[in-house]
Amino acid sequence: MAVLPSHGAVQVGIPCLYRFQVLPFLAPLTTIRRASGLSKNPKNSKNPKTREAPTKKTKVRTEFKRDDLKNAMQFSLCDAMRYIRAFEVGRQPTSSKYELHVSLKSLKNGPVVRNRLRLSNPVDTSQRICVICPPGSQIAAAAIRAGASLVGEETVFDAVKEGRIEFKRCICHSDSLQKLSKANLGRILGPKGLMPSTKTGTVVKDVATSVRNMIGGSEYRERLGVVRMAVGQLGFTPEQMQQNIKEFMGGLKKDITLLSEKISKEIHEVVLSSTNSPGFTLNGDFKSSTSVSTRELAIN
């Protein structure tokens, strides 16, 4: 009968494989020990210290984010004009313009507000207007008398294809709409916002009236929940600015009411700025108790 060697002793003639190999009866214990260890994924771990907190799903905003105006500084029209004039010192009265920014509470994917408005005190009277109509006709003569700078059909089409777009607005007579479509100018005038269309009201029968309305008129469109439009020149008096702002806000409110009843748009903030100044939130008042005289705000 063979005797197993004691600790530290080796019996000659018996192989010592048990020193280098895992004995068969210990293999199940090794497997169990490895399976009961900690998982590499901390989310499935039973240890609260290594377990990650569940991530919360963020809600997607359906409306544009707007600041709280409860503690915001707000100014009367005369005070805002006074501070803006300080940023425009040394500039010509016609070189800089007042701009009104109207912030709306609106849906991100909803319809936008856009229109064209002729103010009582025109801001830009130097617009070059192109009228596409039969050359040499009474329609062309009436457009020129109304103030159009470019009139014709083929001559206008050739100039646009050559890259000579020397006008800021373009309207088309209804009789020339078919020729305009065949000229295929949409890829050139479309990105610039100059392509006449019935949706924008630039395809008309009475071109003379449209030209007179465009001269001195301003266009506004909602972008990212904000409507911007130039409402005056730097040389305008506070009374002229007040009249233009009232007309613009009245037209904007009217356009909002013309939308569907299911669409809700509310005016959140009205900001006045200029070409080189920051914006000043208006409180709706014309003057305050500390406002200077309106004569001091007039620039000759």
Side-chain angles (χ1 to χ4, degrees), residues 184-205:
N184 194 19
L185 300 180
R187 57 186 178 84
I188 303 175
L189 298 179
K192 301 180 182 296
L194 298 176
M195 187 64 183
S197 66
T198 55
K199 291 183 179 180
T200 57
T202 50
V203 178
V204 295
K205 291 184 177 181

Side-chain angles (χ1 to χ4, degrees), residues 149-168:
S149 57
L150 184 61
V151 175
E153 290 178 341
E154 297 298 334
T155 55
V156 176
F157 301 157
D158 295 339
V160 171
K161 291 178 181 179
E162 293 175 1
R164 292 184 288 108
I165 303 176
E166 301 173 350
F167 51 88
K168 293 183 179 180

Side-chain angles (χ1 to χ4, degrees), residues 173-197:
H173 192 267
S174 56
D175 294 342
S176 301
L177 182 59
Q178 186 175 2
K179 292 184 179 180
L180 175 63
S181 301
K182 291 182 179 180
N184 194 19
L185 300 180
R187 57 186 178 84
I188 303 175
L189 298 179
K192 301 180 182 296
L194 298 176
M195 187 64 183
S197 66

